[in-house]
């Protein structure tokens, strides 16, 4: 896990990796810890007052925000999949957020009604309909890149 690997992932996206304001790193806790240890961001002389040695956290790397998700799998094999045997590796995603959209078919609806007459309480229910989709793209277009085989 180093700067070269991260730049290779970004370069693999082609035109979808050119604008850091449209990108997002998604990783688990062990990979996030490795982001903190990158020499370019750990010392004050290289990263200034936002250095991880002072802040203890890293919000972005090379202008790309980092999302640390505890739900990202960190028990993968060398191919980047879970097989139940080898569980020593992790992965990370680089995503172009403009290539995804959230649709809303029905806004949130809240309904309330009294419970039993002898009770001093109400029943409350809410629901909505949403959908998360990616834009249609060609086979050579890469709006998501998966880095795998990363040591925990």
């Amino acid at each position: 896990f180093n700067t070269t690997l991260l730049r290779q992932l970004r370069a693999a996206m082609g035109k979808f990796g050119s604008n850091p304001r449209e990108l997002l790193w998604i990783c688990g806790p062990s990979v996030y810890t490795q982001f903190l240890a990158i020499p370019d961001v750990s010392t004050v002389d290289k990263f200034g007052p936002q250095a991880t040695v002072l802040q203890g956290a890293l919000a972005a790397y090379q202008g790309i925000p980092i999302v640390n998700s505890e739900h990202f799998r960190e028990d993968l094999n060398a191919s980047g999949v879970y097989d139940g045997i080898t569980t020593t590796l992790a992965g990370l995603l680089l995503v172009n957020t403009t290539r995804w959209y959230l649709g809303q078919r029905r806004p949130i609806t809240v309904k309330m009604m009294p419970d039993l007459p002898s009770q001093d309480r109400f029943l409350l229910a809410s629901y909505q309909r949403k959908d998360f989709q990616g834009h249609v793209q060609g086979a050579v277009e890469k709006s998501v890149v998966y880095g795998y085989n990363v040591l925990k």
Side-chain angles (χ1 to χ4, degrees):
F1 189 87
N2 55 35
T3 302
T4 304
L5 169 75
L6 299 173
R7 287 189 179 140
Q8 287 173 349
L9 290 173
R10 186 171 174 189
M13 293 185 79
K15 67 180 182 180
F16 293 114
S18 61
N19 188 351
R21 291 178 300 214
E22 296 177 349
L23 301 175
L24 181 68
W25 293 108
I26 304 173
C27 62
S30 69
V31 175
Y32 178 74
T33 303
Q34 293 182 54
F35 267 109
L36 296 176
I38 293 175
D40 294 345
V41 300
S42 60
T43 59
V44 177
D45 62 324
K46 292 184 180 179
F47 207 59
Q50 296 300 317
T52 59
V53 72
L54 297 176
Q55 299 298 321
L58 184 63
Y61 180 71
Q62 293 184 344
I64 303 170
I66 301 170
V67 173
N68 178 11
S69 171
E70 69 270 12
H71 301 292
F72 202 96
R73 293 203 81 131
E74 295 190 325
D75 55 355
L76 307 173
N77 64 16
S79 300
V81 296
Y82 175 76
D83 64 3
I85 300 169
T86 306
T87 59
T88 58
L89 301 171
L92 75 151
L93 289 172
L94 180 58
V95 180
N96 185 311
T97 59
T98 64
R99 302 297 294 166
W100 302 89
Y101 55 93
L102 182 66
Q104 178 174 297
R105 183 166 178 111
R106 183 180 301 152
I108 191 163
T109 304
V110 178
K111 293 188 177 186
M112 185 175 74
M113 63 183 262
D115 200 2
L116 298 172
S118 62
Q119 304 287 330
D120 188 21
R121 60 184 179 189
F122 290 87
L123 299 175
L124 183 70
S126 68
Y127 59 92
Q128 65 181 346
R129 289 185 63 186
K130 290 192 173 205
D131 193 17
F132 181 71
Q133 294 287 326
H135 286 277
V136 177
Q137 60 189 31
V140 297
E141 297 178 326
K142 297 177 186 163
S143 58
V144 176
V145 176
Y146 179 45
Y148 59 93
N149 204 8
V150 179
L151 288 173
K152 295 195 290 185

